Amino acid sequence: MIASSGKSAEADYLKSLGASEVMDRALLSEDGPPLGADRWAGAVDAVGGKTLVNILSQTKYRGAVTTCGFVGGMELPASILPFILRGITLCGIDSVNAPQSLREVAWKRLATDLDLRQLGSMVSEVGLNEVRGVAENMLQGKVRGRTLVDVNR
């Protein structure tokens, strides 16, 4: 598993989560060829835009790519070549309209497949009065994982 990050200081952390390699996200956000060297059997994209285009162009024959975000843009200025010549699949992840039965399957998998200790280490908790400072740190790229806001604290 290869992780992509703009924070080189987080490489050890990402490796502790299971990444065997961490690549600079800039490598995926630059313009690339319509059909790049095949690198990925599959990918999970949470960025969209050029990053998704590059992931698609580097996906191996019959690979699958899922996408669930668009912080890098909602456009998909991609070539159709990876789809035709490599037979890859692009699947959108829809968590909003997913039926209850699918949600229950996902929740059961999460309950059995995730290491809850690792999951717990990804969450920090703050009080409502700390939100402004945390938000400023988020905008500066200084926050890792998820932040839980306890409105009663």
Side-chain angles (χ1 to χ4, degrees), residues 80-103:
I80 199 158
L81 287 178
F83 299 99
I84 294 174
L85 298 178
R86 293 190 180 150
I88 67 168
T89 300
L90 174 62
C91 292
I93 298 174
D94 167 33
S95 60
V96 176
N97 296 309
Q100 185 70 19
S101 59
L102 288 179
R103 292 170 186 257

Side-chain angles (χ1 to χ4, degrees), residues 32-38 56-59 79 81-83 85-86:
L35 195 63
D38 58 345
L56 292 169
S57 80
Q58 297 173 25
T59 300
S79 167
L81 287 178
F83 299 99
L85 298 178
R86 293 190 180 150

Side-chain angles (χ1 to χ4, degrees), residues 22-41:
V22 179
M23 65 185 296
D24 189 327
R25 72 174 168 214
L27 297 172
L28 292 171
S29 61
E30 300 168 352
D31 287 330
L35 195 63
D38 58 345
R39 183 167 190 179
W40 327 111

Side-chain angles (χ1 to χ4, degrees), residues 127-143:
L128 192 55
N129 62 338
E130 299 170 84
V131 169
R132 182 179 300 270
V134 171
E136 290 171 5
N137 286 337
M138 282 181 178
L139 292 172
Q140 295 173 21
K142 296 179 179 177
V143 174

